[in-house]
Amino acid sequence: MKVLIVHAHPEPLSFCGALFETAIETLEAAGHTVMTSDLYAMGFDPVSDRRNFHTQHHPTYLRLQQEERYAARRDSFTAEIDGEMAKLEEAELLILLFPLWWFGLPAILKGWVDRVFAMGRIYEEGQLYQHGRFAERRALLCVTTGANEPAYQPEGLHGDIHAILRPIERGILQCVGYQVLAPALFHGPAGAEQVVREHWLDEWAARLTTIERESPIEVGRY
């Protein structure tokens, strides 16, 4: 497969960084083609505005979706955004790898979605969910949390982790057509012993060696 890993952690030596490196090494060793977007290393700008485009459809009033459609018809996204879109369009599997911050995506990753998932190119009216342009592709979330696993149970302190991730899995990935695989969840790695972290990395690598044979999960509606 062709795989795109979008990584969003500011510290390369973090456990997220180790998951990122493990994924690259494991997938390449299995014969897959791996593309990456290491957003902090790239200095990716998460702010979506007119800087996304070389063209202007309405120069005096910015309607982002209209400008995206206009740019899509004229192939006039900036090189930075066009390059990310091209990787997304090429990949058969998308992995978003990030720490859970305030029950959601880090701002740099949310901004990547805001800028790259553009109307007219990545999605369109009438081409959503099972009819989306990425309906033959798959995606998964690889997530670290600060709190431990009991805190993310349905009756735990923070609540059901799967409910927390649903806005991402349903509202972003499935919305443009992706079939969603079960998330890879690693709870509280900062407080875990090294032997535990190494075991988690081994489990992650083992899963990735057969990832092409996994079936999608039922994410559910809101």
Side-chain angles (χ1 to χ4, degrees):
M1 291 188 299
K2 294 181 179 179
V3 184
L4 172 60
I5 308 172
V6 184
H7 175 228
H9 197 292
E11 176 49 65
L13 298 179
S14 65
F15 188 70
C16 265
L19 291 166
F20 180 52
E21 295 300 328
T22 297
I24 296 170
E25 294 170 6
T26 303
L27 290 165
E28 288 183 339
H32 302 295
T33 299
V34 180
M35 301 171 285
T36 63
S37 292
D38 189 352
L39 299 182
Y40 281 97
M42 293 161 57
F44 185 82
D45 183 353
V47 178
S48 187
D49 57 21
R50 289 195 185 278
R51 289 171 294 176
N52 298 349
F53 320 107
H54 290 305
T55 51
Q56 293 187 66
H57 183 42
H58 290 292
T60 60
Y61 191 95
L62 176 61
R63 296 178 176 87
L64 271 173
Q65 288 181 319
Q66 289 188 11
E67 295 294 342
E68 287 171 350
R69 274 178 159 172
Y70 189 78
R73 291 195 296 268
R74 287 159 179 77
D75 195 24
S76 61
F77 290 97
T78 61
E80 177 188 38
I81 302 304
D82 185 72
E84 294 302 297
M85 290 174 174
K87 286 188 282 188
L88 193 66
E89 290 165 334
E90 189 175 356
E92 298 159 272
L93 172 65
L94 170 65
I95 299 175
L96 301 183
L97 199 163
F98 60 95
L100 189 71
W101 285 357
W102 291 106
F103 297 88
L105 299 173
I108 198 168
L109 180 52
K110 179 55 167 61
W112 181 86
V113 173
D114 288 345
R115 300 186 74 193
V116 175
F117 280 44
M119 179 174 254
R121 176 108 175 231
I122 304 303
Y123 76 100
E124 186 55 89
E125 291 180 7
Q127 296 180 344
L128 299 173
Y129 300 104
Q130 67 269 29
H131 304 297
R133 294 181 175 176
F134 291 78
E136 301 301 319
R137 319 291 181 89
R138 295 185 296 165
L140 72 88
L141 307 180
C142 181
V143 184
T144 63
T145 66
N148 59 19
E149 186 172 1
Y152 287 100
Q153 298 302 310
E155 302 304 321
L157 177 65
H158 297 312
D160 186 0
I161 185 65
H162 298 288
I164 293 168
L165 296 179
R166 189 171 295 128
I168 305 167
E169 293 177 327
R170 175 70 177 171
I172 296 175
L173 298 176
Q174 283 191 336
C175 187
V176 299
Y178 281 109
Q179 301 173 53
V180 175
L181 303 181
L185 304 172
F186 302 95
H187 295 287
E193 295 182 1
Q194 181 62 22
V195 65
V196 174
R197 292 195 292 268
E198 290 174 358
H199 175 67
W200 287 341
L201 291 174
D202 289 341
E203 287 187 331
W204 175 230
R207 179 182 178 186
L208 291 173
T209 60
T210 59
I211 194 69
E212 69 275 11
R213 298 202 293 270
E214 284 194 20
S215 298
I217 62 170
E218 179 59 46
V219 171
R221 294 174 175 267
Y222 289 104

